[in-house]
Amino acid sequence: MAGGGWSSLPADLLRDISGRLSSDADHLHIHQVCTHWRASTSRPAACRPWVVTGRGRSGLEPIGEYSLRLPCGGARKLEVAAAPAGLPYCCGASRGWLALVDHAQSPTRLVLWEPLSSTEISLPCLSPLTRVFISDDPLTSSNWIAIAAQIKGEIGQKTLFWRPGDATWTMLYERGTCQIDTLVFNEGKAYYIDTMRNIIICDFNTGSDPSPRCTRIFHACTVVNKLCRCHRLHPARGVHLVVCKGELLLVVLYLGSHPWPAEVYKPVWTPNQRLELHERVRDLGDHSLFVGRGDAFALSAKEFPAIKRNCIYSADIPWNKSYWISVFNLESDVVEEIPYPDDILGTYAWFCPRKPFLKQS
């Protein structure tokens, strides 16, 4: 470095340093130093968020042949570390981890895999298995919980939970729901909503009692559809729960030419197990919400400058159009559609990689 200063740092050293950065803002800064640093490091847009895409699987089945892509025109694939051998199916994307299994209908292995560090965590395998969620990052928390969904009957699902150290899974909600759309964790509670808009609240704050308390909020769709006061009803095509800045929010995506293609509300749970929506949220500040099948989360545009502020990024599957990513601006009500290639035939979900894992020397 004596001759050229910082601009003469070896390319492999720059790649190693940039791989340890924890935010898009840091990646952007290192990318702006000089031409050599820019050529030796990844583009900032490649950092977050990603999309997990699948082929040929939908509904109650795990995602099939999956890949990680950037949410941009053309859906460019991301090259990350090779997934664990013999686990070609993905049945969950949560907290920066992928849940991988060895067989779509009758799995015998279930592994959580973190793509940036290639860390693997084996879990007891359930068969059949449809979807897996985790409450926290296992590399930074010792109190994380995994929730898994299994088929119950013709179209239903039941849920089970597992804590580190447990020998087997424990039943969480056996009564059954339809397919789970979104599951989020907040303040010791798990909230999930199914395709029929029923909401189940699972409270893990039970003290010495290891069994969570589960409350079912029926027919949230009826409440949501009453939000539309147009001359003609615009039913919701998507309803999601997401946590933003520690607060639980409910996101409604409308079908057709609704004046507001997406709305955000603060949900209220009444003592008689009903959902009420009073306060509409119009300003998320610097944050944007990412909703789709499976995991839903909020990101700050300050920390991740590749995203737009005060928007809703939707990875919902449309009913009568090709696959796309929709970006709803809550200030202007403008909708931007990012098309995806025709070879994506199955479900897909948002995936936000965790901060790069710094291995101890």
Side-chain angles (χ1 to χ4, degrees):
M1 192 176 73
W6 291 104
S7 62
S8 64
L9 284 174
D12 56 348
L13 179 59
L14 287 170
R15 283 191 292 270
D16 181 67
I17 293 173
S18 65
R20 297 170 181 265
L21 300 178
S22 61
S23 73
D24 283 353
D26 292 336
H27 278 274
L28 181 63
H29 295 155
I30 198 173
H31 207 65
Q32 292 174 333
V33 171
C34 64
T35 303
H36 172 58
W37 283 36
R38 185 159 50 252
S40 304
T41 55
S42 300
R43 295 195 308 167
C47 301
R48 308 181 191 209
W50 303 348
V51 175
V52 184
T53 67
R55 284 181 54 83
R57 300 289 178 186
S58 61
L60 297 179
E61 301 287 348
I63 298 173
E65 304 166 2
Y66 68 93
S67 62
L68 298 171
R69 298 174 182 252
L70 285 176
C72 57
R76 183 167 64 87
K77 290 186 178 181
L78 292 171
E79 298 298 329
V80 297
L87 299 169
Y89 299 101
C90 176
C91 59
S94 185
R95 303 288 176 166
W97 294 71
L98 299 178
L100 306 178
V101 291
D102 58 347
H103 194 275
Q105 283 78 34
S106 303
T108 60
R109 290 179 60 203
L110 170 60
V111 172
L112 295 178
W113 176 61
E114 199 283 296
L116 295 182
S117 67
S118 293
T119 302
E120 301 176 29
I121 299 177
S122 296
L123 302 183
C125 190
L126 295 169
S127 184
L129 178 65
T130 60
R131 192 74 61 171
V132 175
F133 307 86
I134 58 176
S135 63
D136 293 289
D137 182 353
L139 291 177
T140 61
S141 172
S142 59
N143 297 318
W144 60 281
I145 300 169
I147 291 180
Q150 280 190 304
I151 295 176
K152 179 181 175 69
E154 293 294 326
I155 62 172
Q157 291 189 351
K158 59 184 178 181
T159 51
L160 305 94
F161 74 95
W162 181 90
R163 291 186 174 98
D166 290 352
T168 60
W169 293 80
T170 302
M171 187 62 62
L172 178 63
Y173 192 74
E174 190 173 11
R175 183 174 178 181
T177 65
C178 292
Q179 179 187 350
I180 297 175
D181 253 359
T182 306
L183 190 151
V184 297
F185 296 85
N186 190 41
E187 297 182 347
K189 296 180 181 179
Y191 301 79
Y192 65 90
I193 183 167
D194 66 16
T195 54
M196 295 301 293
R197 318 304 190 223
N198 298 308
I199 299 173
I200 290 80
I201 305 173
C202 306
D203 189 353
F204 287 86
N205 300 307
T206 53
S208 59
D209 184 357
S211 301
R213 292 190 299 268
C214 294
T215 303
R216 181 166 179 163
I217 310 295
F218 289 98
H219 309 309
C221 188
T222 303
V223 180
V224 169
N225 286 340
K226 289 181 179 178
L227 297 174
C228 177
R229 297 178 175 86
C230 301
H231 63 281
R232 117 187 209 309
L233 175 65
H234 295 86
R237 73 172 175 88
V239 180
H240 303 274
L241 293 168
V242 60
V243 176
C244 181
K245 295 181 285 188
E247 187 172 30
L248 186 68
L249 302 175
L250 187 140
V251 178
V252 182
L253 308 177
Y254 289 101
L255 279 170
S257 56
H258 192 269
W260 302 279
E263 294 179 334
V264 182
Y265 289 88
K266 295 182 179 180
V268 176
W269 321 112
T270 66
N272 60 343
Q273 301 181 8
R274 303 283 295 179
L275 167 68
E276 293 184 357
L277 301 173
H278 302 294
E279 183 179 352
R280 181 180 172 188
V281 179
R282 299 176 181 270
D283 188 3
L284 300 170
D286 290 312
H287 285 73
S288 285
L289 307 181
F290 293 77
V291 298
R293 292 195 170 184
D295 208 13
F297 49 82
L299 294 180
S300 168
K302 285 185 176 179
E303 189 176 5
F304 310 125
I307 68 174
K308 300 178 180 179
R309 64 178 296 278
N310 203 31
C311 290
I312 299 173
Y313 287 73
S314 168
D316 273 355
I317 294 179
W319 288 10
N320 56 3
K321 296 183 68 174
S322 59
Y323 288 84
W324 81 79
I325 297 294
S326 298
V327 184
F328 306 94
N329 190 303
L330 292 178
E331 291 179 335
S332 63
D333 294 323
V334 172
V335 182
E336 176 186 355
E337 294 182 354
I338 305 173
Y340 259 56
D342 294 334
D343 64 342
I344 297 178
L345 304 177
T347 60
Y348 53 85
W350 289 108
F351 178 69
C352 183
R354 65 181 299 278
K355 293 182 179 180
F357 177 50
L358 303 183
K359 295 183 178 180
Q360 300 294 324
S361 58

